[in-house]
Amino acid sequence: MHKKTILENIDKIHTTEMGIVRIRKNLEINEDPVNYCILKIHDDDAIITKKGKNYYIDVDDCIITINSSSFTIITAHKK
């Protein structure tokens, strides 16, 4: 159910300038963090839960946190 909602709003997913820096640092990536996270969301093994106002995407070795009303990627970090 949550995955369907996120996929229906995939074009709204974004982050802030500070979010870009934080996600790149936490995940140790150099690529665009928004595209990276979107690819992770599409992964068949992604487990999406909602707690309070946030979605949590648990996939591979990371957890991505997305605000459920604005679809802003708040952070992402390794497990």
Side-chain angles (χ1 to χ4, degrees):
M1 177 175 131
H2 298 306
K3 186 161 189 168
K4 181 181 179 211
T5 302
I6 289 179
L7 291 176
E8 287 173 350
N9 292 282
I10 204 84
D11 58 323
K12 296 178 185 174
I13 293 179
H14 65 285
T15 194
T16 62
E17 289 298 319
M18 286 178 50
I20 290 170
V21 174
R22 183 171 47 250
I23 294 163
R24 281 184 175 157
K25 178 182 172 221
N26 291 351
L27 296 180
E28 300 172 356
I29 60 171
N30 291 319
E31 61 195 275
D32 175 22
V34 173
N35 288 336
Y36 181 88
C37 290
I38 287 172
L39 287 173
K40 293 290 185 185
I41 291 166
H42 281 290
D43 190 301
D44 289 338
D45 294 329
I47 298 169
I48 301 173
T49 56
K50 186 177 179 190
K51 295 178 191 163
K53 62 182 181 177
N54 295 327
Y55 289 114
Y56 296 89
I57 298 91
D58 186 336
V59 61
D60 296 333
D61 65 339
C62 67
I63 297 174
I64 303 164
T65 305
I66 299 177
N67 179 281
S68 64
S69 59
S70 67
F71 293 96
T72 303
I73 303 169
I74 298 165
T75 192
H77 60 273
K78 291 186 176 189
K79 290 188 206 176

